[in-house]
Amino acid sequence: LLILLSIIWGSSPILIKKSLSTLTPFEIGALRISSAAIFLSPFFFKVLNQINKKNFFLLLLSGVIGNLIPYFLYPLAQTQIDSSTSGVLTSLTPFFALLIGGVFYKQKIYKNNITGLIIGFIGTFCLIFFSTENNSINANLYGLLVVLATLFYGINLNLLKYHLVKLDPLTITSTSLFFISPITIWLLISCRSPNFNIFEEFILTQRKIPQSI
């Protein structure tokens, strides 16, 4: 299961890069969230009556900071950076999760944790600003969008750990995605180009191979 999860998670930057050959960053983000929300909607309606109404706002907040914002930041960043850089920068998520947990939730941070945080921060800085594949400061700065996305992931992980711990993962995922799906569906309908066709674009994406992945 962990191997399958690693393949799915690791292939995400590559698939985003491929999709950018035919879709805009906003279309990619909106499609990912909308399709996932539709797929999980049966689970949402099944558990809806079991969810405490007090958790609705927290689930909406989790959807926004853990899905909505990062899912737009990643494709936007990859208009200028390669998928491998994006994938490596994503590993900063534990860095921010630990940092936020220590600062705001008084989570214990040990010396090994601090050493890892410092090394991770220095490595990320070098990766963004001294990458040989990025030829401009503008391109390097786009890597900060991925860092920002991992910051939101870190916030969301602490939100789930300390405020929504009583809910199971499927309930959290299906509900948070369903709550934010009206925003992404509206974006798909109102912001798409006149010639945009989801099925044609999907087929073209599979046929086209971008110059750099």
Side-chain angles (χ1 to χ4, degrees):
L1 184 60
L2 288 176
I3 295 176
L4 178 61
L5 181 61
S6 300
I7 294 174
I8 295 173
W9 186 267
S11 63
S12 179
I14 298 176
L15 295 176
I16 290 174
K17 194 69 174 181
K18 281 181 173 290
S19 300
L20 284 170
S21 62
T22 53
L23 302 174
T24 69
F26 291 102
E27 287 170 344
I28 293 173
L31 276 173
R32 292 180 68 191
I33 294 174
S34 300
S35 58
I38 292 172
F39 180 79
L40 293 174
S41 58
F43 300 99
F44 165 73
F45 290 110
K46 182 179 179 180
V47 301
L48 179 60
N49 294 329
Q50 305 172 19
I51 303 175
N52 191 324
K53 292 183 179 180
K54 295 180 180 179
N55 290 327
F56 279 0
F57 174 75
L58 291 176
L59 288 167
L60 173 62
L61 184 62
S62 175
V64 172
I65 64 177
N67 295 284
L68 185 65
I69 298 176
Y71 276 30
F72 288 115
L73 289 177
Y74 270 96
L76 185 60
Q78 287 190 223
T79 59
Q80 298 293 328
I81 66 174
D82 55 83
S83 58
S84 59
T85 301
S86 176
V88 172
L89 291 176
T90 301
S91 62
L92 277 174
T93 300
F95 169 91
F96 286 116
L98 183 62
L99 184 63
I100 293 169
V103 173
F104 294 100
Y105 295 98
K106 307 304 179 182
Q107 178 181 339
K108 290 184 179 180
I109 301 180
Y110 302 98
K111 289 183 178 180
N112 290 341
N113 299 136
I114 296 176
T115 303
L117 291 177
I118 295 174
I119 294 175
F121 181 81
I122 294 175
T124 301
F125 178 85
C126 294
L127 181 63
I128 294 176
F129 291 100
F130 299 102
S131 174
T132 57
E133 295 186 15
N134 293 327
N135 299 319
S136 67
I137 295 178
N138 181 60
N140 291 333
L141 290 176
Y142 270 78
L144 294 177
L145 295 178
V146 177
V147 176
L148 181 60
T150 61
L151 170 61
F152 282 113
Y153 281 148
I155 295 173
N156 188 51
L157 286 173
N158 282 280
L159 174 65
L160 300 179
K161 180 178 180 180
Y162 293 101
H163 300 285
L164 295 171
V165 66
K166 294 182 179 180
L167 298 179
D168 63 89
L170 185 58
T171 298
I172 295 173
T173 304
S174 60
T175 306
S176 60
L177 286 174
F178 190 87
F179 281 171
I180 62 175
S181 61
I183 301 173
T184 58
I185 292 174
W186 175 80
L187 283 173
L188 284 176
I189 295 174
S190 62
C191 299
R192 67 183 178 88
S193 59
N195 297 323
F196 175 79
N197 183 295
I198 183 173
F199 300 105
E200 291 180 358
E201 295 294 345
F202 177 79
I203 294 173
L204 287 173
T205 301
Q206 306 309 308
R207 291 178 178 175
K208 289 187 178 182
I209 301 177
Q211 293 180 352
S212 82
I213 296 177

